[in-house]
Amino acid sequence: MVEDELDDDYVTEEGEDEGAEDEEEEDGFEEDLEDDILIESVWDRVAALVDVVPPMARYRATKAAGAAATTAQNALWGLGKAAWVVATVAFLVALPVGLEYERESFALQQENQQRLQQAQAQVGAASSS
């Protein structure tokens, strides 16, 4: 056992530590392993679960995922229909109301201008007399 420890730390005649070279090789291996793990995609991990998860559990999970997808699809379809109704109501009701409001405000603005012109004419006629 003592000899094994001495062999790992054996120093050559040039003064280099051979044990350090082994450590560098091991570090390189660990880095390569980490790179491989990082490259592994989520799909690869899920595919590897086929061997781990029993067939009945996979069937139930697939069925639940399908049901969730169908529910989401139906919810989006319903939201689309609701958005169509809201947009149609806004177009048929709010647009005419907005146009009428604009017309009314324009008529009020013209009346105010006419009153202002009449008042200025009366003030001008009174000051010239």
Side-chain angles (χ1 to χ4, degrees):
M1 180 166 185
V2 173
E3 293 175 357
D4 290 337
E5 291 176 4
L6 292 177
D7 288 342
D8 289 341
D9 295 331
Y10 176 76
V11 178
T12 61
E13 292 179 7
E14 291 92 20
E16 296 178 2
D17 187 4
E18 288 182 2
E21 289 178 11
D22 291 340
E23 289 177 12
E24 289 176 9
E25 290 176 10
E26 289 176 8
D27 290 341
F29 176 73
E30 290 175 2
E31 289 175 8
D32 291 341
L33 184 61
E34 289 175 9
D35 290 342
D36 290 343
I37 290 172
L38 293 176
I39 292 172
E40 183 180 35
S41 69
V42 174
W43 180 252
D44 293 335
R45 290 183 179 202
V46 170
L49 288 176
V50 170
D51 299 331
V52 177
V53 179
M56 192 61 176
R58 285 193 312 246
Y59 172 76
R60 284 189 218 135
T62 304
K63 195 169 183 177
T70 302
T71 302
Q73 183 179 11
N74 290 338
L76 289 174
W77 182 80
L79 285 173
K81 289 288 188 177
W84 173 258
V85 168
V86 168
T88 304
V89 167
F91 183 70
L92 294 176
V93 175
L95 184 64
V97 169
L99 291 174
E100 188 62 33
Y101 176 78
E102 186 69 28
R103 187 182 307 156
E104 187 70 27
S105 66
F106 182 72
L108 288 174
Q109 187 180 15
Q110 282 186 335
E111 283 181 22
N112 287 338
Q113 284 180 352
Q114 286 177 354
R115 287 183 191 153
L116 184 61
Q117 288 174 355
Q118 287 176 356
Q120 287 177 350
Q122 287 177 356
V123 170
S127 62
S128 61
S129 347

